[in-house]
Amino acid sequence: MTEVAERSKILEGLNTRFSSLNNSSDFHAIRQKAFDFINEKGLPHPKNEEYKFTNVTRILEKQFDISKKSGHAVGKSDVDALVFEGLDVIKLVFINGEFSLELSDIEETKGLKISSIGKAIESNDPQFLALFGEATKNNNDEFAALNTALVEDGSFITVADNSIIEKPIALFFINDATNDKNYTNSRNLISIGKNSQVDFLELFSTKGNNDSFTNIVTEILVDENAHGNYYKIQNNNDNASHIGTTQIHQKRSSVFSTYTFTLNGGTVRNNLNIAVDGEGCESHMYGLYVVNGKTHVDNHTAADHIRPHSMSNELYKGILEDNARGVFNGKVYVRQAAQKTNAFQSNKNILLSDTSTVNTKPQLEIWADDVKCSHGCTTGQLDEDALFYLRARGLSKTSARAMLLYAFAIEVIESVKLEPLKNYLEHIISERLHKDF
Amino acid sequence: MLKIKDLHASIEDKEILKGINLEVKAGEVHAIMGPNGSGKSTLASVLAGREDYEVTAGSAEFGGKDLLEMAAEERAREGVFLAFQYPIEIPGVSTTNFMKTALNQVREHKGLDPLDAVSFLKLMKEKMQLVEIDQSLLSRSLNEGFSGGEKKRNEIFQMAMLEPKLSILDETDSGLDIDALKIVANGVNTLKNKDNATIVVTHYQRLLDYIVPDFVHVLYKGRIVKSGTKDLALELEEKGYDWIKEEVDATI
Ligand SMILES: Nc1ncnc2c1ncn2[C@@H]1O[C@H](COP(=O)(O)OP(=O)(O)OP(=O)(O)O)[C@@H](O)[C@H]1O
Ligand SMILES: [Mg+2]
């Protein structure tokens, strides 16, 4: 099939899906606007600079049966399998995109309001309608728009002012592709009040080996002096494609950290955009991808410094083997008003095979004159001298290699503040470095 | 213990070792001296099993086994130890951290049980005292921000932990002040016994006042061109290498 024919077929499929949506809620107008945008703009083309190295539109060529809801056999044991040791959380579970009250565990917590997006849409929740799309206002990404047009479910979470939420909130997205392909558009809308503090986890996993596709968007509004950590753990199977957009808006004196761990998947594209829209803000972006096989992982990040006296700090590291491909694009904007900005960025990669590749590109655009910015990218092989040193002390090649790779990865893992997650990552990554790599 | 016969080795098709003959017996200390670039470190690396070098001819036997057949880690487990001329930095890996794995893999090779955490710590404490090294240094990233003396002491510390049969010290004395030199030499002498042997590579006779060699060899242009007792080192200290170079260059 020609590419043009293929693309029009994809749009046709999306149209079918869009038409099948309930159009009676107030939210439908928002959907319609987003869908019009896609019809007008089309889906990203490989010639599109933003998607140069990652042909995302091809994911949709897999002809996900657009109107049919896929069945699933996900039970408590599947969720329990994902809950690692010591993880004591408020749990929201989504199966094939749909909220499962039965599998979730939502504890009444002062200052915390949790609802499903599905319910918020259905009930025309005025607070939801007011906050939705606030953070993504300036996002012109086609897949973010597609998510808005087709969103099925997700979480709507608000943290009131002056609230310290002790337990982290974990969002589990489990796709069951055992019998059918599946394609979901999940959305999270999170609003963190003034002086409040809360941690989140987004955990992804797949069952079954049919193709699946998740196009998820998370909007986070961080109010003045609020603190938060957002951990994303992507460990899907080889046939699972994933486009994840995290859109954060930070107000004055807020401190927010994001962590993106990619352990497996088919095509994975992460868009992380942070508007540093207040003085005295701190934004940290950490990422670690440890991938092999044919996994393709693309991290596009953007820190937009709008006001003075803020800092952003970014550290992304990757270990790639076999035919794995990595893409890193880190944008830092420092607007004219954002004097005294400190912005640091670093992307480091180790390639363990001749057939793995990384394309890394820092992109700094600075209009202010009194700023401190630095960036650095490195891609190389494992240090042969270090390997020899350890072997000369009696370590097997496998142990020496695993030790060096672990030492490389640990810098990111160490930044994780949530102890059980840190232990889990330490464990899973060291195990993998011994086995697969 | 070690028998090297007509050993030739090259890197990137450039021949560096051009027929080394050397026999080291248990209980002996051999010093190898020689001008810069003569191949001393190359010899040490080839013996330790660095794969960048290609052995093109000759043999090396260690304890009756073919050394050149073994991978670097096997040589270490059999008891070969190289104290590096330029110990590298390894960010994120501490001495404590890799020594525990190293020691237990060496023990496993010898058919011994792994050391538990307590015994390991006890052994560490004992060896730390020997080279007067601080525990905090050992839990930091290897050699990152270490002074020259700390790096060298750390090498000897590792040697003390592993108790090798054959230690090759590549310029472990270079850049050390007299106090550090004494500490290093004392460490080496304490570990010395009738069953092990040491090869010290050095430019300076000074070290040999503290670690007294049974033999001194001069390596030049990839060959051992002169051997003698410790008096040879004194003679070299006094007269330099030119007379040897002239002797050798005249015969080529
Ligand atoms: N990786 C390499 N590639 C090419 N040539 C090399 C390499 N390593 C060493 N050489 C060359 O081999 C020769 C011997 O070097 P080696 O380091 O063994 O000398 P050395 O006797 O230890 O010198 P020094 O006293 O300065 O430490 C030198 O000419 C050096 O340039
Ligand atoms: Mg040398």
Side-chain angles (χ1 to χ4, degrees), chain B residues 40-42 85-86 170-171 201 203:
Chain B
K40 304 181 296 295
S41 294
T42 302
Q85 180 175 2
Y86 303 111
D170 192 358
E171 295 202 28
V201 174
H203 281 277

Side-chain angles (χ1 to χ4, degrees), chain B residues 4-9 17-20 43 46 55 57-59 68:
Chain B
I4 305 174
K5 282 192 192 138
D6 192 35
L7 186 66
H8 291 250
L17 300 183
K18 299 171 182 168
I20 301 272
L43 176 61
V46 168
V55 174
S59 65
L68 304 176

